[in-house]
Amino acid sequence: VLDEMVQLSSTGIDKKSLVAYGTVMRLWARQMQPLRAEKLLQDLWDSCDNGNWSVEPDVILYHIALQPWSAIGTLPACEKLLALLRQMEDRHKRNPKLPSPNHYCYNSLVSAWVNCERPEEAEKTLWEMWRLYNDEGRKNVKPDLATYSVVMWAWSKIGSEVSLSKVKQLFQDLSDMNDSTLKPDASAYHALIAAYGRDGKADKCVALLEELWNHYRRTKNPRFKPNSATYKVVRDTIDKNDLPTAKELAETVRVIWGDGQEIQSDERSSGTFQL
C-alpha cells in the first residue's frame, strides 16, 4: 500500500494527493526513514516549482520531515535538519506568503543538538528563536517551556561548574519573565535538580523538590507535580554523598513522597486524577 501511495509522485500530484503524501511522510518518519520523508517533501516542491501551487507543503509537513533527523543523535543528522530549516526560511524570505518555521520546527533543532550532546548549539538555537521573535516579529517562533527545559536538561547532563551555572541562569530567566506561560514547571525544576545532583549538592536538590511540591500543593496544577524520576535524582544524590544532614534530608523527601501518594489516592477516588 505504501508503494502504491508513493507512486502518486510519478502520476502527478493534486490536492487530494497531498493528504496521502502527509500520511506516507508520517509513516516514514515513524520508521526513522528521514531520507524517504524528505524525498516526498521535495516531490511536492518540485510540483510547485512546475506551477502546481495547490500542493504547497505547509509547516506541518516540514515538521514531520524534521522529526526523524532530530531523534538520530549524530552531527550529520543535525546538519541535515538545519539544512531543511534553512531551506524553509529561504523560501519564506523570497516569498513571505510561504510558511515559515514555527517553534515546533525550531524545537526539533534544539532536540537534535541535545541528542548530539551539543548543549551550546541548543542554547544558541534558543537565543535565535528569541531574536526572530523580538527583532523580526515572528510570533510563531516564540520559545516555550519545552524549549527551555530541553536546553536546561542538555546542560545538566554535563556535570561541571559551567553547566550548573548555565542551568541556574536559564531557570532564573524563566522565573524573572513577565509571562505566565513561561514560568518554571516540573520539567525545568527536574533539570535544575539534576544539575545540582551531578554537583553533589543534596541540600539544594531537596530544597528545590520541596519548593516544587509546595507549588503543586498550592495550585493543584499538574505542571508542578514532581514525578518519580525527580524523586530518584534527589534520593540518589543524598545516598551518594556522605553528608551530616543526610538523615534529615532523606526524611524530608520521604514525607513529600508520602504526601504525594496520599493526594494521588484522594484525587483518584474523587475522579479528578488523570495520568
Side-chain angles (χ1 to χ4, degrees):
V1 175
L2 272 177
D3 287 342
E4 290 178 1
M5 294 176 75
V6 172
Q7 287 302 316
L8 287 169
S9 63
S10 65
T11 59
I13 310 171
D14 56 22
K15 192 70 174 177
K16 292 180 181 179
S17 306
L18 195 57
V19 177
Y21 264 74
T23 301
V24 178
M25 285 179 65
R26 283 188 178 90
L27 290 170
W28 287 134
R30 288 171 185 168
Q31 293 178 24
M32 297 300 291
Q33 297 284 340
L35 289 174
R36 291 180 179 271
E38 188 177 337
K39 171 62 168 60
L40 294 178
L41 182 69
Q42 188 57 52
D43 286 347
L44 294 173
W45 277 122
D46 289 345
S47 185
C48 290
D49 292 339
N50 288 326
N52 183 15
W53 286 97
S54 66
V55 294
E56 170 195 315
D58 59 14
V59 69
I60 295 173
L61 292 180
Y62 260 95
H63 187 232
I64 293 170
L66 295 171
Q67 285 178 310
W69 289 121
S70 177
I72 289 175
T74 65
L75 183 56
C78 292
E79 291 170 346
K80 287 290 291 185
L81 192 156
L82 188 57
L84 270 175
L85 206 59
R86 285 174 175 165
Q87 178 196 93
M88 194 177 185
E89 288 283 10
D90 289 343
R91 286 184 177 273
H92 175 70
K93 286 177 181 178
R94 292 198 303 268
N95 183 358
K97 292 183 179 180
L98 293 178
S100 61
N102 60 14
H103 78 280
Y104 293 110
C105 295
Y106 274 95
N107 279 356
S108 293
L109 180 58
V110 171
S111 296
W113 289 125
V114 171
N115 291 331
C116 196
E117 299 183 351
R118 298 289 187 93
E120 67 285 350
E121 295 296 337
E123 187 175 349
K124 283 181 184 177
T125 304
L126 166 65
W127 302 133
E128 174 63 10
M129 292 169 73
W130 276 122
R131 187 193 69 78
L132 291 170
Y133 176 79
N134 291 318
D135 297 348
E136 298 187 14
R138 296 267 297 279
K139 305 304 181 185
N140 64 338
V141 296
K142 179 184 176 184
D144 58 10
L145 276 172
T147 318
Y148 272 87
S149 295
V150 172
V151 175
M152 289 170 65
W153 176 245
W155 280 118
S156 75
K157 294 192 296 181
I158 302 298
S160 67
E161 288 188 12
V162 171
S163 62
L164 175 58
S165 176
K166 288 282 190 179
V167 178
K168 287 167 61 178
Q169 185 58 59
L170 289 165
F171 188 91
Q172 190 62 50
D173 289 345
L174 282 176
S175 300
D176 292 342
M177 282 189 191
N178 188 25
D179 186 337
S180 60
T181 67
L182 283 173
K183 292 295 181 183
D185 62 356
S187 295
Y189 271 90
H190 179 86
L192 184 56
I193 288 170
Y196 274 119
R198 286 186 178 274
D199 203 41
K201 291 183 168 57
D203 54 339
K204 285 286 190 180
C205 291
V206 173
L208 285 165
L209 176 63
E210 199 167 14
E211 182 179 306
L212 177 61
W213 175 246
N214 287 334
H215 275 315
Y216 176 66
R217 287 291 299 266
R218 186 174 63 255
T219 65
K220 294 296 188 293
N221 188 331
R223 292 197 307 110
F224 298 117
K225 187 174 185 179
N227 59 28
S228 58
T230 306
Y231 283 104
K232 186 177 186 306
V233 169
V234 179
R235 280 309 309 261
D236 286 350
T237 304
I238 295 172
D239 294 342
K240 290 176 182 177
N241 294 274
D242 187 18
L243 301 173
T245 57
K247 287 185 178 180
E248 290 85 349
L249 293 174
E251 177 62 16
T252 300
V253 176
R254 188 193 67 77
V255 170
I256 294 173
W257 175 259
D259 287 348
Q261 298 309 297
E262 289 180 11
I263 286 181
Q264 181 168 303
S265 177
D266 291 343
E267 288 173 339
R268 279 176 172 159
S269 63
S270 67
T272 60
F273 178 80
Q274 185 176 358
L275 287 174

